[in-house]
Amino acid sequence: MKANITLKLDASLLREIRVLAAEEGTSISALLAARLQQMVSERKTYERARKRALARLREGLDLHWTPSRSRDELHQR
């Protein structure tokens, strides 16, 4: 189901949007709907990536680090 919305735009901006839509061979409505859909999709993708990154930070990363030997251990003969 689709719903209508009303926008208030400056006349000069509306003129530029009409030109942009015409150049892309689409309507202003379709142009705005596509851009809004893209914004929502990007936001969802970002949120998923953010949640994955935070989960990785919480579980940590094993770097297989071992403490370095002391000076005395290194120079033992």
Side-chain angles (χ1 to χ4, degrees):
M1 181 179 140
K2 294 188 178 192
N4 291 328
I5 62 169
T6 301
L7 294 173
K8 290 187 179 191
L9 303 171
D10 290 332
S12 60
L13 177 59
L14 181 57
R15 194 174 320 110
E16 290 183 44
I17 294 171
R18 281 185 179 133
V19 169
L20 182 61
E23 287 174 351
E24 294 192 18
T26 189
S27 66
I28 293 173
S29 179
L31 184 73
L32 292 174
R35 179 62 180 124
L36 291 170
Q37 182 61 47
Q38 179 186 6
M39 291 169 62
V40 169
S41 178
E42 288 172 358
R43 174 94 181 221
K44 286 180 182 178
T45 301
Y46 170 80
E47 285 301 320
R48 283 193 302 268
R50 181 178 174 272
K51 286 179 183 177
R52 281 193 314 268
L54 289 173
R56 286 182 190 143
L57 286 173
R58 273 188 230 98
E59 71 185 39
L61 180 62
D62 184 8
L63 299 176
H64 305 290
W65 180 82
T66 57
S68 58
R69 296 187 291 176
S70 71
R71 183 173 188 268
D72 290 335
E73 288 174 326
L74 289 173
H75 295 286
Q76 268 182 353
R77 297 187 181 182

